[in-house]
Amino acid sequence: MSTITQNETKNPQVTAAEQSHLPQHYVSPHVNIFENNEGYVLEAELPGVAKTGLEIGVENNLLTIIGQREKNTLTAEPIYRELSTASYRRVFELDPAIDTEKIDARLEQGVLTVRLPKSDRAKPRKVQVGE
């Protein structure tokens, strides 16, 4: 069983009015998730997204990543396009052992790195045996 799972269901707390102004088409960014003694590290590829176009939220044990691509500044009409103009969106269900108050994120060269630390009570520790 995975401790961080993808959850693509609609958020019931987003009203229909709020959903109407959101883009209707999203692309799921590719991600890698790693685990170490301190917690988890999630890396997501978000080419074309600047820090100002990035939203990361944690609510009800769900991590939501939304990235709005920067608008094309060229005034020319495209004659061939391979890159999607859609925005990015992924939702993950978090392990309850993650300390959501200490989550941090960094965006560098189109790669988002989110650190998801485990709470101190969930980290492995050694127990010393008394004499």
Side-chain angles (χ1 to χ4, degrees):
M1 184 173 137
S2 178
T3 53
I4 301 176
T5 57
Q6 182 176 346
N7 183 346
E8 290 299 332
T9 59
K10 286 190 176 182
N11 186 344
Q13 295 167 348
V14 176
T15 66
E18 290 171 325
Q19 286 183 358
S20 67
H21 79 277
L22 295 174
Q24 298 301 312
H25 180 68
Y26 289 104
V27 175
S28 290
H30 294 266
V31 298
N32 293 320
I33 300 173
F34 305 95
E35 181 180 14
N36 59 31
N37 287 341
E38 299 300 313
Y40 304 92
V41 178
L42 183 146
E43 294 178 338
E45 294 181 353
L46 302 171
V49 175
K51 289 180 184 180
T52 56
L54 185 61
E55 293 179 39
I56 303 171
V58 177
E59 187 174 348
N60 297 328
N61 230 29
L62 295 176
L63 172 71
T64 303
I65 300 170
I66 298 175
Q68 306 287 331
R69 292 179 192 243
E70 292 183 348
K71 300 293 181 203
N72 188 352
T73 57
L74 294 176
T75 56
E77 235 359 84
I79 57 172
Y80 179 75
R81 174 179 281 160
E82 288 186 355
L83 296 175
S84 172
T85 58
S87 298
Y88 297 103
R89 182 176 186 273
R90 286 290 289 265
V91 179
F92 299 90
E93 184 175 344
L94 298 178
D95 182 340
I98 292 174
D99 187 348
T100 58
E101 297 296 320
K102 294 182 181 176
I103 293 174
D104 71 340
R106 186 179 62 215
L107 181 66
E108 292 181 7
Q109 298 183 356
V111 178
L112 173 67
T113 303
V114 181
R115 299 198 185 284
L116 305 157
K118 293 178 184 175
S119 65
D120 289 333
R121 70 184 188 290
K123 291 179 185 174
R125 64 184 182 92
K126 291 186 177 185
V127 176
Q128 292 190 2
V129 178
E131 294 182 36

